[in-house]
């Protein structure tokens, strides 16, 4: 079976790909990713500071240097080492060219597409391209939490755990039938960022559970969403993010960044958060991070 994975190039998806790609052995796979680009911190939202750690700082300070090593030093593999170990081509999508996604998908001709924290909507004719459809991993329960920042909205509403939902993609936004969902207990001694790799790894596992049926040409069973229960969520505002902090939640914490880095580097030095400008239990991530030569374009150039 031909499987196309659409994702973004950040530490959360890299962790989930470490679970997903080994389970896709025997299938023809390609990964198409968007480089998230620079994060705007001007709103003062702690959510933006967390986004910057996972999308800019961690990839550039941890993942990109690991790509240049001859062998992976830790339990988790960086993007370049995932590509080399599993022989999966990675294609960098052009963020400025909306048609690049369809051209890439049409050229690959997938049987199914998995959207793994992918920051772009699927429209026709891409929606009708894969015979087995498109499945999406969503960071909230459906139909209660469609839209952006679903996990954070749930916490703001008093949830004691996070939910990852696997659903079919249709012409709406998070409106397709639900295939499966998994719940992740929330540890209040940890930051929100610390939970996200595990949350999306649950999404990867749900797709792998559906894989045997998909490989046999069967669409996974799914329940339609109750439309009356839907309440679309926009991206968490700066005020809502600050309210979460007032409730005792932290978006990012130094020890959590260090622990995650150690899973990739194999060393628990505790220096990653300091190099990233993060003080323990502090959301501040000051100063610009220069782009490195081992970014998205360099990754696309690797071929097994």
């Amino acid at each position: 079976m031909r499987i196309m994975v659409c994702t973004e190039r950040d530490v959360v998806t890299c962790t989930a790909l470490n679970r997903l790609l080994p389970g896709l052995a025997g299938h023809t796979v390609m990964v198409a990713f968007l480089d998230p680009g620079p994060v705007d911190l001007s709103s003062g939202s702690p959510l933006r500071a967390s986004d910057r750690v996972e999308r800019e700082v961690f990839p550039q300070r941890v993942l990109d240097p690991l790509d240049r090593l001859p062998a992976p030093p830790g339990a988790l593999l960086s993007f370049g080492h995932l590509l080399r170990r599993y022989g999966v081509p990675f294609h960098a999508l052009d963020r400025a060219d909306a048609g690049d996604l369809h051209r890439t998908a049409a050229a690959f001709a997938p049987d199914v597409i998995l959207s793994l924290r992918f920051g772009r909507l699927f429209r026709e004719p891409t929606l009708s391209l894969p015979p087995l459809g498109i499945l999406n991993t969503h960071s909230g329960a459906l139909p209660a939490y469609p839209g952006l920042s679903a996990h954070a909205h749930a916490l703001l509403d008093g949830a004691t755990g996070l939910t990852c939902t696997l659903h079919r993609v249709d012409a709406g936004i998070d409106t397709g039938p639900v295939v499966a969902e998994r719940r992740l207990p929330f540890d209040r001694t940890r930051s929100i960022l610390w939970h996200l790799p595990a949350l999306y790894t649950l999404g990867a596992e749900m797709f792998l559970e559906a894989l045997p049926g998909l490989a046999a040409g069967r669409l996974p069973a799914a329940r339609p969403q109750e439309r009356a229960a839907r309440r679309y969520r926009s991206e968490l505002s700066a005020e809502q993010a600050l309210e979460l902090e007032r409730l005792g939640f932290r978006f990012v914490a130094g020890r959590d960044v260090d622990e995650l880095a150690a899973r990739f580097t194999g060393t628990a030095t505790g220096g990653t958060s300091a190099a990233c400008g993060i003080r323990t239990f502090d959301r501040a991530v000051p100063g610009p991070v220069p782009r490195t030569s081992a970014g998205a374009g360099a990754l696309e150039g690797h071929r097994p």
Side-chain angles (χ1 to χ4, degrees):
M1 185 167 63
R2 299 179 67 81
I3 302 169
M4 180 176 179
V5 181
C6 294
T7 189
E8 298 214 358
R9 192 176 182 274
D10 61 46
V11 63
V12 174
T13 58
C14 190
T15 305
L17 286 173
N18 271 266
R19 176 67 182 93
L20 178 67
L21 293 183
L24 300 183
H27 300 282
T28 302
V29 181
M30 79 163 297
V31 176
F33 67 91
L34 287 171
D35 190 317
V39 176
D40 183 2
L41 299 177
S42 62
S43 69
S45 171
L47 174 61
R48 295 277 74 82
S50 176
D51 286 346
R52 186 162 178 263
V53 171
E54 63 186 76
R55 298 176 183 180
E56 290 186 51
V57 180
F58 199 101
Q60 293 170 29
R61 297 283 174 84
V62 179
L63 301 180
D64 289 351
L66 291 176
D67 280 348
R68 297 191 288 268
L69 296 180
L76 293 179
L77 307 185
S78 63
F79 287 106
H81 286 294
L82 282 170
L83 183 156
R84 291 190 284 270
R85 176 169 295 183
Y86 298 109
V88 173
F90 280 43
H91 172 76
L93 294 168
D94 185 348
R95 181 172 285 276
D97 181 1
D100 188 32
L101 171 60
H102 180 70
R103 291 193 299 273
T104 301
F108 181 69
D111 295 300
V112 66
I113 294 176
L114 173 64
S115 172
L116 183 66
R117 209 185 191 210
F118 187 53
R120 182 169 286 176
L121 296 177
F122 292 91
R123 303 296 191 193
E124 293 293 359
T126 310
L127 272 175
S128 301
L129 181 66
L132 295 171
I134 302 172
L135 296 175
N136 179 53
T137 56
H138 180 68
S139 68
L142 293 174
Y145 291 95
L148 303 172
S149 308
H151 61 287
H153 282 291
L155 293 174
L156 196 57
D157 286 347
T160 59
L162 305 180
T163 301
C164 187
T165 302
L166 183 71
H167 68 94
R168 296 181 191 167
V169 175
D170 59 17
I173 300 177
D174 301 327
T175 55
V178 172
V179 174
E181 64 179 33
R182 296 286 185 276
R183 192 171 183 273
L184 179 71
F186 194 91
D187 183 349
R188 290 294 295 264
T189 71
R190 296 288 194 166
S191 65
I192 294 173
L193 174 59
W194 184 84
H195 293 80
L196 295 183
L199 187 66
Y200 281 92
T201 295
L202 290 177
E205 290 175 349
M206 286 186 285
F207 180 79
L208 292 176
E209 290 171 5
L211 189 59
L214 289 166
R218 299 191 303 270
L219 291 174
R223 59 171 173 81
Q225 294 188 41
E226 185 182 347
R227 298 302 173 97
R230 284 177 53 83
R231 179 182 158 203
Y232 182 80
R233 316 292 173 129
S234 299
E235 187 169 56
L236 201 72
S237 69
E239 291 75 18
Q240 289 172 317
L242 291 169
E243 177 61 21
L244 274 174
E245 286 200 329
R246 285 191 287 270
L247 291 172
F249 293 97
R250 297 186 305 277
F251 282 86
V252 62
R255 69 160 178 160
D256 294 343
V257 172
D258 290 335
E259 182 179 295
L260 183 56
R263 297 175 67 192
F264 286 94
T265 65
T267 58
T269 62
T272 300
S273 61
C276 294
I278 305 168
R279 295 183 297 277
T280 301
F281 305 138
D282 191 346
R283 67 179 174 85
V285 189
V289 178
R291 307 298 276 176
T292 67
S293 61
L299 177 61
E300 185 185 15
H302 287 289
R303 288 291 181 269

